[in-house]
């Protein structure tokens, strides 16, 4: 959500940001709606003050037995009632239209976010590791099916496309990955593990920016709830409508949950394999900070996500997203992209965003220092640490061997005692 006072003061800043997102003219439209609402409110307030004054004068006229004057004043009150009611309706309509418009407009980018229209304009910040030298690499779907441990057809018979059944050692590897990621984020990086709801109401999805703009990307239940597309929704909403003491910040939260996405805008893309699914597991990180601390926290969060890939010895690069490629709620975003040998390119495996006070305004999430009178909106950040399915894909492709087996990264050996490779039709220890 946006501060209308800031919009009035610097409309050119907002117009430039929204124009980059294809919403040219939105700033002028918002200011016009705000002016209509404020003008109507002024008429209402003036009319109400006039009506109060007339009511006193009617009482005085009646006390003085001046019925003619009392009748005249009462007629003026009735006329004012109609006028005030009409203006109140106009104020309500303009205010609601303004709220809906502002709710549909994306966050403003930070000053150091590069210009650009799409992913081609993103900037590589750093690169870690060298791509594995694999001759004629197979993709993960072929590898999994050949092992008899990845079943897309069985999943399709019960659920349709963009689902998979993992079996045996591959299912065990997926489970181990989630636990490994949680342990690193909680035991080494100070995140508090949370087991949150997977179903949320409209106001929670609105708070983090999924609604109203991205309703078609979510799954909706018959009783008015939404399946979470990421644990960011549940974790961030823990501070909604709360005043968190400044002394308790930063809050660092993490969760391993299933995530559900309709992939409405992904028609024809990544239709085979596990890259883009309706249901997948992800370890999410969320930070709630004071405004002055969010930039440093953002860099820290990116390092926390990068550490997982480094432990697994998976080559990756870190990208700073341009203005046109950033998500709706973000003011600055880094994507981590892991190397996939079968595609000969890097693919996104984590996205870490600083949302500033954008989500906090939608959730009424504030902070206050002890002894202070006023409150401030907190800043919220979120990032994947990591997407479990895509990490599984990266391990399968980068650790594939000529005989079709998959070597298990050294960091996962404590989570898979007795296993060094994923073998055909294995069931694990």
């Amino acid at each position: 959500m946006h501060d209308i006072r800031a919009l009035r003061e610097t409309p050119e800043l907002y117009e430039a940001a929204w124009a980059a997102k294809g919403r040219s003219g939105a700033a002028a439209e918002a200011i016009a709606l705000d002016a209509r609402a404020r003008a109507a409110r002024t008429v209402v307030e003036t009319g109400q003050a006039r009506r109060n004054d007339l009511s006193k004068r009617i009482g005085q006229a009646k006390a003085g037995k001046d019925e003619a004057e009392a009748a005249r004043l009462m007629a003026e009150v009735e006329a004012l009632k109609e006028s005030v009611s009409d203006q109140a309706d106009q104020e309500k309509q303009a205010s609601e239209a303004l709220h809906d418009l502002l709710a549909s407009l994306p966050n403003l980018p930070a000053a150091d976010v590069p210009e650009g229209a799409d992913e081609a304009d993103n900037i590589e910040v750093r690169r870690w590791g060298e791509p594995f030298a694999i001759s004629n690499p197979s993709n993960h779907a072929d590898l999994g099916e050949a092992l008899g441990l990845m079943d897309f057809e069985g999943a399709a018979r019960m659920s349709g496309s963009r689902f998979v059944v993992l079996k045996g050692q591959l299912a065990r590897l997926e489970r181990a990955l989630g636990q490994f990621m949680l342990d690193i984020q909680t035991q080494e990086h100070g995140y508090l593990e949370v087991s949150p709801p997977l179903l949320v109401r409209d106001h929670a999805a609105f708070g983090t920016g999924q609604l109203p703009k991205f309703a078609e990307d979510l799954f909706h239940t018959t009783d008015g709830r939404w399946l979470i597309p990421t644990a960011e929704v549940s974790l961030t909403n823990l501070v909604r409508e709360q005043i968190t003491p400044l002394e308790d910040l930063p809050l660092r939260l993490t969760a391993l949950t299933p995530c559900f996405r309709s992939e409405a805008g992904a028609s024809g893309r990544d239709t085979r394999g596990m890259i883009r699914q309706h249901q997948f597991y992800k370890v999410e990180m969320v930070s709630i900070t004071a405004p002055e601390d969010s930039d440093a926290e953002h860099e820290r969060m990116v390092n926390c996500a990068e550490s997982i890939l480094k432990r697994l010895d998976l080559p990756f690069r870190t990208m700073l997203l341009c203005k046109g490629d950033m998500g709706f709620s973000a003011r600055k975003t880094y994507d981590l992209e892991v190397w996939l040998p079968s595609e000969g390119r890097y693919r996104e495996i984590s996205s870490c965003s600083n949302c500033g006070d954008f989500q906090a305004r939608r959730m009424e999430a504030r902070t206050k220092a002890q002894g202070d009178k006023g409150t401030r909106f907190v800043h919220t950040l979120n990032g994947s640490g990591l997407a479990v399915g895509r990490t599984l894909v990266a391990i399968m492709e980068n650790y594939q061997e000529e005989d079709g087996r998959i070597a298990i990264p050294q960091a996962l050996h404590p989570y898979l005692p007795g296993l060094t490779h994923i073998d055909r039709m294995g069931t694990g220890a």
Side-chain angles (χ1 to χ4, degrees):
M1 211 62 175
H2 300 279
D3 183 355
I4 189 61
R5 291 172 297 182
L7 175 54
R8 289 188 210 119
E9 292 171 1
T10 55
E12 67 284 349
L13 178 67
Y14 287 80
E15 175 57 28
W18 291 334
K21 287 286 193 177
R23 297 297 300 269
S24 181
E29 183 181 353
I31 289 173
L33 286 169
D34 176 54
R36 276 176 49 195
R38 288 194 296 149
R41 190 178 309 124
T42 298
V43 173
V44 169
E45 291 171 352
T46 301
Q48 289 172 337
R50 175 63 176 165
R51 190 168 62 184
N52 291 339
D53 179 60
L54 289 172
S55 296
K56 293 178 183 178
R57 291 171 59 188
I58 289 170
Q60 293 170 351
K62 287 186 174 182
K65 307 298 184 183
D66 189 346
E67 295 300 330
E69 178 64 5
R72 186 187 70 78
L73 293 172
M74 289 171 67
E76 187 175 348
V77 167
E78 285 301 314
L80 271 174
K81 276 185 182 180
E82 184 175 344
S83 173
V84 167
S85 177
D86 177 66
Q87 290 297 314
D89 287 343
Q90 291 192 37
E91 179 194 357
K92 181 181 178 182
Q93 292 171 8
S95 295
E96 289 177 350
L98 176 61
H99 177 275
D100 291 346
L101 175 61
L102 292 178
S104 73
L105 293 167
N107 201 354
L108 271 62
D112 57 346
V113 171
E115 298 288 342
D118 53 36
E119 63 182 14
D121 297 314
N122 295 339
I123 295 175
E124 183 175 321
V125 177
R126 54 186 168 268
R127 188 175 293 205
W128 187 91
E130 291 296 326
F132 289 38
I134 302 173
S135 59
N136 300 315
S138 298
N139 67 51
H140 68 280
D142 289 338
L143 288 165
E145 289 178 329
L147 289 167
L149 303 177
M150 187 176 283
D151 186 356
F152 293 101
E153 291 185 5
R157 286 195 298 271
M158 70 178 86
S159 302
S161 62
R162 297 191 188 276
F163 289 93
V164 67
V165 174
L166 299 180
K167 302 175 183 179
Q169 293 175 350
L170 211 51
R172 190 177 170 197
L173 176 58
E174 181 188 47
R175 174 161 51 91
L177 273 171
Q179 297 306 310
F180 166 71
M181 294 173 187
L182 271 183
D183 286 350
I184 297 298
Q185 303 305 354
T186 57
Q187 296 174 18
E188 298 187 17
H189 298 150
Y191 287 87
L192 175 68
E193 182 176 353
V194 177
S195 179
L198 305 182
L199 293 165
V200 297
R201 295 288 195 188
D202 288 6
H203 61 267
F206 175 84
T208 46
Q210 278 73 31
L211 292 180
K213 184 175 177 61
F214 302 105
E216 67 172 8
D217 294 324
L218 308 180
F219 288 109
H220 194 224
T221 68
T222 56
D223 65 349
R225 294 181 174 89
W226 303 86
L227 285 164
I228 60 168
T230 164
E232 168 202 345
V233 180
S234 303
L235 296 178
T236 310
N237 271 279
L238 286 172
V239 296
R240 72 169 298 109
E241 299 169 20
Q242 302 292 310
I243 299 176
T244 304
L246 184 64
E247 295 74 21
D248 292 346
L249 299 180
L251 297 178
R252 296 183 178 121
L253 311 171
T254 189
L256 168 61
T257 68
C259 303
F260 306 90
R261 297 183 185 178
S262 72
E263 297 293 349
S267 177
R269 288 191 294 162
D270 301 310
T271 54
R272 185 168 185 268
M274 288 182 62
I275 291 294
R276 200 178 299 276
Q277 299 234 294
H278 290 312
Q279 174 186 315
F280 57 94
Y281 286 97
K282 181 156 68 79
V283 171
E284 185 73 3
M285 303 176 292
V286 162
S287 294
I288 312 296
T289 76
E292 59 272 16
D293 297 330
S294 68
D295 288 341
E297 183 70 14
H298 192 198
E299 301 296 327
R300 180 188 187 278
M301 178 177 283
V302 174
N303 289 333
C304 291
E306 289 178 342
S307 72
I308 301 295
L309 293 170
K310 291 177 180 179
R311 296 287 185 91
L312 296 173
D313 198 21
L314 291 171
F316 70 92
R317 65 180 185 177
T318 302
M319 306 293 290
L320 174 61
L321 268 56
C322 68
K323 292 179 180 178
D325 198 35
M326 283 200 307
F328 179 79
S329 297
R331 71 187 299 266
K332 184 177 181 180
T333 298
Y334 291 103
D335 274 3
L336 306 188
E337 298 179 347
V338 69
W339 177 256
L340 293 188
S342 71
E343 298 185 19
R345 61 173 175 149
Y346 292 92
R347 294 296 302 269
E348 180 196 339
I349 197 168
S350 173
S351 187
C352 297
S353 297
N354 183 354
C355 298
D357 64 3
F358 183 81
Q359 293 177 328
R361 289 180 178 276
R362 297 167 79 97
M363 297 186 303
E364 286 295 325
R366 299 173 180 269
T367 186
K368 178 182 177 183
Q370 187 175 7
D372 284 358
K373 292 183 178 179
T375 62
R376 297 182 294 163
F377 288 108
V378 297
H379 279 197
T380 63
L381 304 94
N382 63 79
S384 306
L386 304 164
V388 177
R390 291 194 178 191
T391 308
L392 179 69
V393 167
I395 288 174
M396 292 178 68
E397 294 205 3
N398 283 284
Y399 283 85
Q400 62 182 287
E401 298 186 345
E402 290 186 5
D403 60 3
R405 297 194 305 165
I406 310 296
I408 296 172
Q410 190 71 34
L412 295 177
H413 286 188
Y415 295 84
L416 297 162
L419 280 183
T420 59
H421 290 77
I422 302 297
D423 296 298
R424 177 174 175 78
M425 294 303 293
T427 58

